[in-house]
């Protein structure tokens, strides 16, 4: 019998499942979604709350243990909160993707979109770095972690029904929508992997 594919979900508090019961976070929900859609996969939670792209770059090498077959990379939200220079975030993400590539592993990059807090030029530079990196590394790009909530189009509804009280992290209903929307892209990634 073939071994299951081991998928590392490498990210920050959004990946880690901040503020949620263990079975309601992104990774367990994604695991269930993938299994329900016929994937023989084991998803490892490589989310660290508060992690920046620099933190991710510092830990990627030892996170890629021998059993890892594919990697979902979802970092950048904390860089945004701190106003870290987009060029720095890009360099860190590039280092992460280069390390994954050096191991011959397929990856999916999950983007982030800046708010206007740091001005238009910051937003333009930050928003552009994910498509640029996905293109440079020849990997798939999922627009942004919270895409399913953005697509609802009603910020008040999202705040009321799909986010925790901190207005940043999704609640269980929000996670369910996020996984449903991102699932097909992750399934594609799993299908590229060789256990």
């Amino acid at each position: 019998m073939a071994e299951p594919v081991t998928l590392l979900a490498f990210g920050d508090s959004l990946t880690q499942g901040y503020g949620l019961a263990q079975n309601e976070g992104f990774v367990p929900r994604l695991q269930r979604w993938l299994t329900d859609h016929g994937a023989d996969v084991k998803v490892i939670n490589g989310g660290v709350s508060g992690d920046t792209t620099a933190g991710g770059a510092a830990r990627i090498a030892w996170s890629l243990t021998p059993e890892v077959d594919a990697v979902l990379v979802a970092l950048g939200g904390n860089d945004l909160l701190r106003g870290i220079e987009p060029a720095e975030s890009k360099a860190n993400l590039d280092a992460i993707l280069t390390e994954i590539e050096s191991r011959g592993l397929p990856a999916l990059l999950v983007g982030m979109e800046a708010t206007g807090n740091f001005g238009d030029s910051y937003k333009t530079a930050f928003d552009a770095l994910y498509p640029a990196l996905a293109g440079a590394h020849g990997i798939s790009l999922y627009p942004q972690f919270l895409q399913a909530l953005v697509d609802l189009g009603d910020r008040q509804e999202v705040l009321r029904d799909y986010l925790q009280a901190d207005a940043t992290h999704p609640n269980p209903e929000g996670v369910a929508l996020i996984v449903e929307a991102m699932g097909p892209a992750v399934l594609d990634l799993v299908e590229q992997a060789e256990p």
Side-chain angles (χ1 to χ4, degrees), residues 149-150 152-163:
L149 305 187
V150 172
L152 291 172
D154 181 342
R155 182 155 170 74
Q156 291 312 310
E157 178 195 3
V158 169
L159 286 168
R160 185 183 66 238
D161 298 340
Y162 298 108
L163 292 178

Side-chain angles (χ1 to χ4, degrees), residues 10-11 51-63 75 92-93 95-96:
F10 191 74
D51 215 2
T52 58
T53 57
R59 68 186 172 94
I60 187 61
W62 57 260
S63 299
L75 282 164
N92 292 328
L93 284 165
I96 291 167

